[in-house]
């Protein structure tokens, strides 16, 4: 893929080697439509990752190296986000989480220090693995949940407790 700034990972892809995009310094956008895709780490000047509605699992360590991602939308089809999936995305400001996520890998969003808004469409809180949102400024970041779920998220002191003072209805 050298030389391009846009890549599409189609539904048929099941594996991408770790160096598949090596040397793609101008790569800015990825459309990820593979249902399950193991391996590979995105780097370069990546600004956006768009996940298709068939993606079920976001793999471990998806984004490593320098990226400029400011917004991530995880669709309702996703049920799990891998360990370190978006670790140290220091430019990430807005995160939208679909309603069917049941597993967050350890440190999935650790180091996302610029997060100001998380939109979580899951009705009931799901347990978070260790350090999922480590280094997020919980006083500067608002967790938005469905209006009928605000009290559940506020009372869920074990998983989403760090957002307690900044939980608002969508």
């Amino acid at each position: 893929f050298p030389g391009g700034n846009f890549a599409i990972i189609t539904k048929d892809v099941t594996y991408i080697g770790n160096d598949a995009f090596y040397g793609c310094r101008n790569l800015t956008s990825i459309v990820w439509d593979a249902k399950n895709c193991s391996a590979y780490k995105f780097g370069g000047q990546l600004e956006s990752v768009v996940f298709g509605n068939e993606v079920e699992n976001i793999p471990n360590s998806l984004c490593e190296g320098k990226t400029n991602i400011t917004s991530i939308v995880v669709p309702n089809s996703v049920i799990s986000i891998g360990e370190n999936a978006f670790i140290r995305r220091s430019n990430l400001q807005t995160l939208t989480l679909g309603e069917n996520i049941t597993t967050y890998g350890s440190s999935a969003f650790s180091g996302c220090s610029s997060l100001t808004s998380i939109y979580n469409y899951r009705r009931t809180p799901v347990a978070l693995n260790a350090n999922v949102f480590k280094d997020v400024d919980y006083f500067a970041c608002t967790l938005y949940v469905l209006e009928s779920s605000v009290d559940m998220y506020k009372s869920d002191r074990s998983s989403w407790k760090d957002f307690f003072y900044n939980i608002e209805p969508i």
Side-chain angles (χ1 to χ4, degrees):
F1 301 106
N5 66 351
F6 185 85
I8 298 173
I9 301 170
T10 65
K11 295 175 185 174
D12 299 331
V13 175
T14 58
Y15 179 82
I16 298 174
N18 284 337
D19 293 327
F21 293 95
Y22 180 78
C24 298
R25 290 178 177 82
N26 295 324
L27 181 64
T28 59
S29 298
I30 297 282
V31 175
W32 181 287
D33 212 14
K35 186 173 183 177
N36 294 299
C37 192
S38 60
Y40 193 62
K41 297 160 181 65
F42 297 125
Q45 297 297 319
L46 196 61
E47 296 171 4
S48 69
V49 178
V50 177
F51 294 99
N53 288 327
E54 301 231 357
V55 175
E56 290 182 353
N57 302 296
I58 296 176
N60 296 344
S61 304
L62 180 64
C63 289
E64 287 188 348
K66 183 178 179 179
T67 64
N68 296 317
I69 297 172
T70 59
S71 178
I72 296 171
V73 176
V74 179
N76 290 334
S77 58
V78 172
I79 56 173
S80 71
I81 298 175
E83 291 182 11
N84 304 317
F86 298 101
I87 194 169
R88 292 186 294 278
R89 298 304 93 214
S90 61
N91 293 326
L92 182 63
Q93 298 170 8
T94 305
L95 174 62
T96 302
L97 302 168
E99 65 186 357
N100 294 313
I101 300 170
T102 58
T103 304
Y104 290 86
S106 179
S107 300
F109 298 99
S110 178
C112 295
S113 56
S114 295
L115 262 174
T116 57
S117 301
I118 300 173
Y119 297 88
N120 186 346
Y121 287 89
R122 185 169 174 84
R123 291 193 184 286
T124 57
V126 64
L128 298 178
N129 286 321
N131 300 318
V132 170
F133 292 105
K134 182 181 179 196
D135 298 325
V136 169
D137 183 347
Y138 299 105
F139 294 103
C141 183
T142 302
L143 174 64
Y144 295 95
V145 298
L146 300 172
E147 188 170 0
S148 61
S149 302
V150 170
D151 290 338
M152 277 188 279
Y153 277 84
K154 284 187 174 185
S155 65
D156 183 42
R157 300 274 192 206
S158 62
S159 296
W160 297 86
K161 69 180 182 324
D162 295 322
F163 293 99
F164 180 77
Y165 293 106
N166 283 329
I167 300 175
E168 301 289 333
I170 291 175

